[in-house]
């Protein structure tokens, strides 16, 4: 299938450090592409290029086969590229509906004045959570999101992206701070997004999560592409070997002897 999003030969440097060196990737609708790599491998830098936070010094982005020029994250969101960072970027003191519409609140006129349409926001919040099969009691739906569980908060961030018609969803360590049951629920949500034709780019240190949901794995090491594998044709040992290179091979040899 033709990729919806492509990054070709992306390079970016910060001062004297080359954070990415000629890195390319592509992801298709309904595909989950995992980015794996040790700390400092360039994963976060790459997704910040794709989401419009950083501008590469070399390389090109393409969306639906056409050149993509991003000035900022708003440009990326307007194209349908949504990013959920590890901190979720939720406003803890606001309710679910306010977080879904954050910065894009619907308005209606009352007594000749434009005011925020809060009933519409609450209605959409319930519809979004029902679509994702997330149970949130009505009382908590109207309360601040800080009272919700980690899994529920993750679902709200995903729901916000889906409501705004995300065609590519980038997820940065979505299960890092969750318990096992909530991790499973997030994995179910990713499977659901895949079934809906959303392209998902997943960053995770958890190989169990990666092998449970991804179709392909792209491994970065020290800002370069170390390898790319289909999940069905690889295993955890090979991915770790690609992540750490000769260090892993030397350790395995020393252990064996």
């Amino acid at each position: 299938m033709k990729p919806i999003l492509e990054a070709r030969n992306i390079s970016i440097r910060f001062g004297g450090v080359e954070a990415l060196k000629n890195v390319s990737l592509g992801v298709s609708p309904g595909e989950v592409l995992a980015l794996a790599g040790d700390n400092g491998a360039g994963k976060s830098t790459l997704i910040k290029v794709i989401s419009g936070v950083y501008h590469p010094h070399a390389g090109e982005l393409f969306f639906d086969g056409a050149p993509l020029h991003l000035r900022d994250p708003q440009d990326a969101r307007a194209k349908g590229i949504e990013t959920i960072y590890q901190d979720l970027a939720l406003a803890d003191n606001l309710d679910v509906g306010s977080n879904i519409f954050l910065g894009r609140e619907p308005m209606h006129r009352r007594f000749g004045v434009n005011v925020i349409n809060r009933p519409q926001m609450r209605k959409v919040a319930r519809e979004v959570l029902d679509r994702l099969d997330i149970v949130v009691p009505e009382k908590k739906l109207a309360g601040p999101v800080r009272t919700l569980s980690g899994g529920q908060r993750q679902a709200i961030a995903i729901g916000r992206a889906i409501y705004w018609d995300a065609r590519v969803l980038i997820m940065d360590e979505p299960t890092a701070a969750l318990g096992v049951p909530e991790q499973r629920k997030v994995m179910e949500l990713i499977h659901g997004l895949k079934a809906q034709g959303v392209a998902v780019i997943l960053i995770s240190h958890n190989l169990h999560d990666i092998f449970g949901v991804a179709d392909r794995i792209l491994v970065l090491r020290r800002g370069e592409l170390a390898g790319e594998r289909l999940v069905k044709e690889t295993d955890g040992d090979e991915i770790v070997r690609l992540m750490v290179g000769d260090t892993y091979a030397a350790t395995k040899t020393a252990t064996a002897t």
Side-chain angles (χ1 to χ4, degrees):
M1 185 180 293
K2 184 179 178 181
I4 183 173
L5 174 68
E6 290 182 272
R8 299 180 187 171
N9 302 316
I10 298 297
S11 295
I12 186 170
R13 83 172 47 244
F14 300 102
V17 177
E18 196 166 15
L20 292 174
K21 309 169 193 174
N22 298 316
V23 174
S24 298
L25 68 75
V27 61
S28 300
E31 180 185 31
V32 179
L33 172 67
L35 296 184
D38 210 345
N39 291 332
K43 306 183 301 298
S44 293
T45 302
L46 181 57
I47 66 167
K48 285 180 179 178
V49 169
I50 294 170
S51 59
V53 176
Y54 294 154
H55 301 132
H57 294 111
E60 298 176 286
L61 298 175
F62 294 84
F63 193 85
D64 269 345
L68 177 64
H69 304 289
L70 300 175
R71 293 170 298 180
D72 52 38
Q74 278 77 14
D75 272 0
R77 285 195 289 268
K79 277 290 186 181
I81 303 169
E82 293 276 352
T83 304
I84 301 175
Y85 292 104
Q86 198 168 344
D87 63 4
L88 303 181
L90 297 177
D92 283 346
N93 60 317
L94 299 180
D95 62 19
V96 176
S98 297
N99 271 281
I100 289 174
F101 284 95
L102 200 61
R104 297 178 273 195
E105 291 81 0
M107 309 295 288
H108 64 168
R109 291 187 71 80
R110 287 188 66 185
F111 307 113
V113 179
N114 283 332
V115 296
I116 295 175
N117 191 341
R118 298 195 183 280
Q120 172 68 8
M121 291 163 64
R122 285 194 294 271
K123 178 174 178 288
V124 167
R126 174 52 64 198
E127 290 172 351
V128 166
L129 293 178
D130 287 348
R131 179 179 173 184
L132 295 175
D133 192 28
I134 297 295
V135 177
V136 176
E138 204 65 35
K139 184 177 180 181
K140 287 201 168 187
L141 191 68
V145 298
R146 65 171 171 265
T147 65
L148 301 178
S149 71
Q152 289 170 328
R153 288 163 54 82
Q154 186 70 248
I156 292 166
I158 294 172
R160 177 172 61 194
I162 296 307
Y163 179 75
W164 293 106
D165 295 325
R167 298 179 64 194
V168 176
L169 181 58
I170 303 168
M171 306 181 75
D172 186 5
E173 299 286 356
T175 64
L178 304 181
V180 173
E182 292 183 322
Q183 289 176 12
R184 289 175 181 157
K185 186 61 185 179
V186 171
M187 292 297 102
E188 289 174 12
L189 291 173
I190 294 174
H191 279 296
L193 296 173
K194 178 178 174 180
Q196 294 173 35
V198 178
V200 178
I201 298 176
L202 171 69
I203 291 181
S204 180
H205 282 92
N206 189 324
L207 289 181
H208 183 268
D209 286 352
I210 287 175
F211 277 88
V213 76
D215 299 292
R216 284 187 298 125
I217 305 172
L218 188 148
V219 182
L220 295 176
R221 185 171 70 243
R222 297 175 186 170
E224 298 184 86
L225 179 62
E228 187 175 348
R229 299 289 187 273
L230 290 173
V231 165
K232 62 185 179 182
E233 296 177 356
T234 189
D235 57 27
D237 272 355
E238 183 179 26
I239 297 304
V240 172
R241 188 162 55 248
L242 289 170
M243 287 168 59
V244 301
D246 295 339
T247 303
Y248 181 73
T251 301
K252 293 286 281 188
T253 302
T255 304
T257 56

